[in-house]
């Protein structure tokens, strides 16, 4: 039951006289706007301005509680690596203030779930530890043959489609889904449902992908929250059955690890288990689909880069993958909350204030990347910040890289020519997003 003493989100303490800089005043509304994330040039311009004029900007955007926008690569790392000082528990991602209030009113706490990204140590460490082994490089490497077989099936599917397809919807969306569902032990017949539920969560701000379709500005906040709860209820129902099954019939899959997981000798709670399945299922494919498709799109838009890739797919795939993940930055932000006052960039972040880690900005930081607005399949070194950093650094990053490397090798060693066949479209999302459609024409 909600504790009424906790029934509103914490007030953000404001320093007397703190105001947004001119750069921040003009751009803070942009960097929270889902539609801006579907328009890369506008997004780039906003972050260029912040990095140059106010790299640690105090933002008070309409509809959101205030935060510091952290736009420099070095600062994102500095905050991310100090997990005791900058925690996840209070506010791990941007949410409309009205939605935050709705969640507090109903649950007396900030979240509907308890996933790894919403937890801090020691619980975060203990829960992460349960599945970490599965996602270590040596174990991921062992899945290479299986992943390659799936990649080949999808390149076959592309060939069967006869010379034209929507690369995002026909290929990129389904390939990482199949890989992560096999790891979870979810049968292929349930993949369409898993895809729909995931898109309803990550695409909640997009009129085509949200559960109750329609433009965000036309939707009621209460209704938006209710539809997210319905989506979560469907996930819960599905994974409750999986838990029962894996307790009775353990198998060699991640669901068995979660269903039978213990912390300090006690079985993990129902909410923790459900949240775990959901984060692995959801984070495990939409992100990878976005960067797989977005990388192909970048090559199609730059024939010289496409040629380099097609001339030497095996040699180029490894660097092309990281460049695709830099270029697309499918996870647009995470947030942290300062537990003590902290000085950065000559400014004073106060305990209780939150910070928005702007990964797309870090990945275009002129101080780190040479020619950052150029997609180069052979970029090396490539200090991408797309997977975050520190204790929460992406659990699935080795898997994501392997999957993408394999599909790029398989696709570009078989396809004879490939080009755009219309304008691509992009998902409106300020949290996880990428291409919505990539029409292509090709010959095998
Ligand atoms: C966390 C990005 C693929 C599972 C994260 C974080 C980012 C991220 C930015 C938060 C890091 C931080 O706070 O410092 C990405 C990108 C991917 C990808 C860009 C693909 C290109 C995957 C895959 C899985 C996965 C394939 C499958 C297991 C997770 C989990 C967490 C996480 C479970 C939470 C880790 C924690 O809080 O300890 N990811 N991810 N991700 N990712 Fe990924």
């Amino acid at each position: 039951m909600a504790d009424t003493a906790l029934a509103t989100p914490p007030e953000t303490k404001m320093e007397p006289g703190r105001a947004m800089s001119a750069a921040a005043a003009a751009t803070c509304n942009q960097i929270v706007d889902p539609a801006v994330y579907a328009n890369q040039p506008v997004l780039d311009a906003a972050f260029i301005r912040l990095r140059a004029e106010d790299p640690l900007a105090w933002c008070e955007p309409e509809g959101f509680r205030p935060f510091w926008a952290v736009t420099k690569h070095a600062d994102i790392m500095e905050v991310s690596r100090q997990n005791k000082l900058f925690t996840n528990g209070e506010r791990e991602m941007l949410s409309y203030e009205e939605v935050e209030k709705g969640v507090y009113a109903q649950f007396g706490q900030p979240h509907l779930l308890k996933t790894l990204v919403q937890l801090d140590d020691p619980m975060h460490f203990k829960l992460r530890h349960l599945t970490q082994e599965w996602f270590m490089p040596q174990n991921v490497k062992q899945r290479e043959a299986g992943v390659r077989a799936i990649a080949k099936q999808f390149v076959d599917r592309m060939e069967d489609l006869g010379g034209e397809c929507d690369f995002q919807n026909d290929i990129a969306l389904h390939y990482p889904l199949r890989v992560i569902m096999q790891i979870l032990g979810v049968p292929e017949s349930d993949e369409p449902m898993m895809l729909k539920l995931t898109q309803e969560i990550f695409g909640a701000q997009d009129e085509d992908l949200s559960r109750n379709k329609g433009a965000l500005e036309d939707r009621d906040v209460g209704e938006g929250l209710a539809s997210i709860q319905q989506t979560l209820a469907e996930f819960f129902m599905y994974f409750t059955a999986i838990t029962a099954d894996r307790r009775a019939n353990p198998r060699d899959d991640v669901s068995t690890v979660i269903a039978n997981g213990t912390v300090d000798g006690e079985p993990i709670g129902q909410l923790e288990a459900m949240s775990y399945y959901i984060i692995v299922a959801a984070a495990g494919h939409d992100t990878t689909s976005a960067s797989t498709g977005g990388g192909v799109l970048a090559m199609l838009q730059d024939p010289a880069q496409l040629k380099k890739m097609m001339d030497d797919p095996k040699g180029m795939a490894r660097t092309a993958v990281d460049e695709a993940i830099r270029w697309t930055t499918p996870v647009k932000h995470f947030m942290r909350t300062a537990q003590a006052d902290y000085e950065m960039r000559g400014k004073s972040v106060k305990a209780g204030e939150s910070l928005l880690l702007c990964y797309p900005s870090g990945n275009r930081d002129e101080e780190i990347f040479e020619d950052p607005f150029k997609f180069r399949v052979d970029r090396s070194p490539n200090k991408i910040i797309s997977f975050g950093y520190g204790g929460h650094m992406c659990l699935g990053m080795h898997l994501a890289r392997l999957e993408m490397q394999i599909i790029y090798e398989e696709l570009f060693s078989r396809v004879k020519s490939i080009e755009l066949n219309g304008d691509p479209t992009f998902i409106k999302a300020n949290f996880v997003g990428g291409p919505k459609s990539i029409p292509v024409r090709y010959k095998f």
Side-chain angles (χ1 to χ4, degrees):
M1 264 319 274
D3 174 347
T4 44
L6 286 173
T8 53
E11 283 293 312
T12 304
K13 287 181 233 143
M14 283 250 229
E15 277 294 283
R18 175 169 292 158
M20 286 192 281
S21 67
T27 45
C28 287
N29 285 329
Q30 289 183 301
I31 65 168
V32 297
D33 183 350
V36 168
Y37 287 83
N39 190 339
Q40 191 72 36
V42 176
L43 185 70
D44 283 342
F47 283 133
I48 288 171
R49 183 149 194 229
L50 286 180
R51 284 196 301 277
E53 296 176 29
D54 193 2
L56 182 65
W58 179 248
C59 277
E60 295 171 18
E62 254 169 66
F64 295 87
R65 285 190 291 134
F67 55 79
W68 292 98
V70 186
T71 51
K72 294 291 285 178
H73 188 284
D75 297 348
I76 296 173
M77 289 182 73
E78 183 174 330
V79 171
S80 302
R81 76 173 143 247
Q82 304 185 68
N83 296 106
K84 279 207 176 93
L85 188 54
F86 297 107
T87 55
N88 284 44
E90 296 94 326
R91 191 186 186 191
E92 87 292 359
M93 64 177 280
L94 278 175
S95 193
Y96 293 95
E97 195 167 2
E98 287 303 308
V99 174
E100 289 183 330
K101 282 186 184 152
V103 173
Y104 260 94
Q106 273 189 57
F107 301 99
Q109 48 121 356
H111 312 297
L112 295 173
L113 292 173
K114 270 194 190 171
T115 71
L116 292 181
V117 293
Q118 291 153 334
L119 292 168
D120 295 301
D121 291 343
M123 191 45 122
H124 163 259
F125 178 83
K126 290 175 183 173
L127 282 177
R128 183 171 165 125
H129 186 71
L130 292 178
T131 61
Q132 183 142 299
E133 195 62 25
W134 266 83
F135 296 101
M136 295 302 260
Q138 62 276 21
N139 290 333
V140 166
K141 189 88 187 119
Q142 284 179 12
R143 307 195 75 84
E144 183 167 346
V147 173
R148 194 171 293 279
I150 299 174
K152 282 184 191 239
Q153 283 168 15
F154 279 96
V155 180
D156 289 346
R157 178 192 282 189
M158 198 169 154
E159 192 171 355
D160 292 345
L161 287 169
E164 281 186 14
C165 76
D166 175 345
F167 185 78
Q168 193 60 29
N169 284 295
D170 294 325
I171 308 298
L173 214 49
H174 301 277
Y175 161 63
L177 179 70
R178 171 91 26 102
V179 173
I180 198 68
M181 291 305 149
Q182 285 196 355
I183 288 175
L184 272 171
V186 168
E188 209 175 302
S189 51
D190 293 335
E191 284 173 14
M193 183 196 50
M194 285 287 135
L195 179 62
K196 176 180 160 292
L197 295 180
T198 308
Q199 288 186 323
E200 286 172 7
I201 291 194
F202 287 149
Q205 298 163 333
D206 188 282
E207 59 267 32
D208 298 325
L209 302 178
S210 61
R211 188 177 179 104
N212 43 1
K213 314 273 183 274
L216 192 63
E217 50 277 17
D218 300 336
R219 276 187 258 144
D220 171 75
V221 169
E223 184 198 346
L225 180 58
S227 60
I228 290 278
Q229 285 179 271
Q230 281 161 11
T231 301
L232 292 180
E234 285 180 33
F235 262 129
F236 271 46
M237 235 157 61
Y238 186 82
F239 284 117
T240 300
I242 292 249
T243 301
D245 178 70
R246 297 307 196 276
R247 284 186 180 155
N249 313 296
R251 293 196 214 160
D252 185 22
D253 61 24
V254 165
S255 293
T256 300
V257 177
I258 298 172
N260 298 287
T262 57
V263 162
D264 300 332
E266 296 290 325
I268 61 172
Q270 154 94 343
L271 183 59
E272 282 81 357
M274 292 301 132
S275 304
Y276 218 139
Y277 292 118
I278 293 173
I279 194 171
V280 173
H285 69 90
D286 247 30
T287 49
T288 317
S289 303
S291 44
T292 301
V296 167
L297 174 60
M299 291 181 236
L300 300 184
Q301 289 173 325
D302 188 337
Q305 298 299 315
L306 178 63
K307 182 168 181 335
K308 264 192 192 172
M309 184 74 201
M310 290 183 66
D311 285 349
D312 182 14
K314 288 237 150 67
M316 233 17 104
R318 191 181 283 268
T319 49
V321 162
D322 269 19
E323 183 65 342
I325 298 171
R326 180 186 78 88
W327 193 248
T328 52
T329 315
V331 177
K332 310 302 175 190
H333 73 266
F334 266 107
M335 297 186 87
R336 301 289 191 266
T337 301
Q339 297 304 314
D341 296 354
Y342 192 74
E343 294 295 312
M344 203 162 66
R345 297 256 164 209
K347 299 200 180 178
S348 197
V349 175
K350 296 288 168 198
E353 290 176 344
S354 46
L355 301 97
L356 183 79
L357 306 175
C358 303
Y359 302 126
S361 176
N363 274 336
R364 300 280 196 279
D365 188 339
E366 303 78 355
E367 268 190 277
I368 303 291
F369 299 96
E370 195 189 292
D371 211 356
F373 297 94
K374 171 87 181 152
F375 179 92
R376 289 186 188 159
V377 286
D378 55 357
R379 185 181 289 277
S380 177
N382 199 349
K383 287 178 68 181
I384 56 171
I385 192 73
S386 319
F387 292 117
Y389 196 64
H392 288 274
M393 193 168 185
C394 179
L395 182 71
M397 65 181 180
H398 306 296
L399 177 66
R401 280 182 164 132
L402 179 82
E403 286 176 57
M404 288 180 63
Q405 191 180 329
I406 291 176
I407 191 105
Y408 283 1
E409 285 173 8
E410 293 298 326
L411 173 64
F412 291 109
S413 58
R414 278 176 58 188
V415 75
K416 296 279 177 295
S417 69
I418 176 165
E419 59 184 359
L420 271 176
N421 190 22
D423 290 333
T425 59
F426 298 89
I427 295 170
K428 291 178 189 156
N430 65 17
F431 182 44
V432 174
K436 199 194 275 187
S437 68
I438 310 176
V440 290
R441 186 166 42 216
Y442 49 86
K443 287 199 183 101
F444 274 89

